[in-house]
Amino acid sequence: MLVLPILTDFRLLCKKLGCSRYFHFNGCKYVTPEYYASIKAHRIPTKGDILYSAVGATLGIPAIVNTDEEFCFQRYVALIKPNPNKLLSKFLWYMLKSGTLYKKAWEGTTGSAQPTVPLRAIRMLPIPVPPLPEQHRIVAYLDELQTKVDKMKRLREQAMKELDALLPSILDKAFKGEL
């Protein structure tokens, strides 16, 4: 029987996202084609859309849909369909990851045990929309910075591994009074 993926644990997905802007289908559950066919067209994600965690402790995490594969998701994920003639998906992703919009999203939450940012609050987020050429320039600049940050993180991890490897010999020398 043909089945289609459903993202069932966006929280786990978000932990795996880290600095990445995309997601994957590892560990997802599936729905039948009949169920998928019953979903309203405006709730079907397409490449370039943004998924936005709208419920719980991981509220406010965006991910760009980077696949043409058909899939659906559960209620705690909001679907944002940017108009590509006015707003770049990557630009919107960066804006949604900004501390300012993240804070605004949390300010718009309802509930306490299970905080939720309602769709109306997501629609009201103050997202600046400069002209497309400016969005392209900003995205290129932020991508360049992200590449540098990723490199620095890798170098830091490598340095930490090297320090961890040196620690036993340093302690050994310290206990022997050789330092």
Side-chain angles (χ1 to χ4, degrees), residues 25-37:
F25 295 111
N26 297 347
C28 68
K29 294 183 180 178
Y30 294 86
V31 297
T32 64
E34 293 79 22
Y35 175 83
Y36 186 81

Side-chain angles (χ1 to χ4, degrees), residues 16-41:
K16 291 179 180 177
L17 279 174
C19 287
S20 171
R21 65 183 138 267
Y22 303 113
F23 62 91
H24 54 77
F25 295 111
N26 297 347
C28 68
K29 294 183 180 178
Y30 294 86
V31 297
T32 64
E34 293 79 22
Y35 175 83
Y36 186 81
S38 73
I39 300 172
K40 294 179 180 173

Side-chain angles (χ1 to χ4, degrees), residues 40-76:
K40 294 179 180 173
H42 70 279
R43 295 290 301 155
I44 301 292
T46 56
K47 197 171 197 172
D49 289 348
I50 304 282
L51 299 181
Y52 189 74
S53 59
V55 176
T58 58
L59 181 141
I61 299 176
I64 298 174
V65 175
N66 63 332
T67 181
D68 289 318
E69 186 172 346
E70 293 179 324
F71 71 97
C72 55
F73 50 87
Q74 291 189 331
R75 71 164 192 85
Y76 49 80

Side-chain angles (χ1 to χ4, degrees), residues 33-166:
E34 293 79 22
Y35 175 83
Y36 186 81
S38 73
I39 300 172
K40 294 179 180 173
H42 70 279
R43 295 290 301 155
I44 301 292
T46 56
K47 197 171 197 172
D49 289 348
I50 304 282
L51 299 181
Y52 189 74
S53 59
V55 176
T58 58
L59 181 141
I61 299 176
I64 298 174
V65 175
N66 63 332
T67 181
D68 289 318
E69 186 172 346
E70 293 179 324
F71 71 97
C72 55
F73 50 87
Q74 291 189 331
R75 71 164 192 85
Y76 49 80
V77 178
L79 177 63
I80 303 171
K81 294 182 160 290
N83 177 343
N85 295 320
K86 295 181 180 180
L87 185 59
L88 298 175
S89 294
K90 223 180 207 184
F91 179 83
L92 178 58
W93 178 80
Y94 275 119
M95 292 299 101
L96 291 171
K97 282 194 61 90
S98 74
T100 301
L101 287 181
Y102 181 79
K103 183 179 173 187
K104 286 283 188 193
W106 271 96
E107 288 172 2
T109 60
T110 60
S112 56
Q114 186 78 3
T116 302
V117 61
L119 292 177
R120 72 184 175 314
I122 293 171
R123 288 185 192 107
M124 298 302 293
L125 289 173
I127 299 170
V129 184
L132 283 174
E134 182 69 7
Q135 290 180 48
H136 282 288
R137 189 192 68 70
I138 292 168
V139 165
Y141 177 73
L142 292 174
D143 281 348
E144 181 181 332
L145 286 179
Q146 187 62 55
T147 299
K148 290 177 182 178
V149 167
D150 292 343
K151 181 179 179 182
M152 289 171 34
K153 284 181 179 178
R154 284 190 304 275
L155 290 171
R156 180 183 174 275
E157 287 173 17
Q158 181 181 350
M160 292 303 292
K161 286 178 185 176
E162 290 172 6
L163 285 173
D164 287 344
L166 287 174

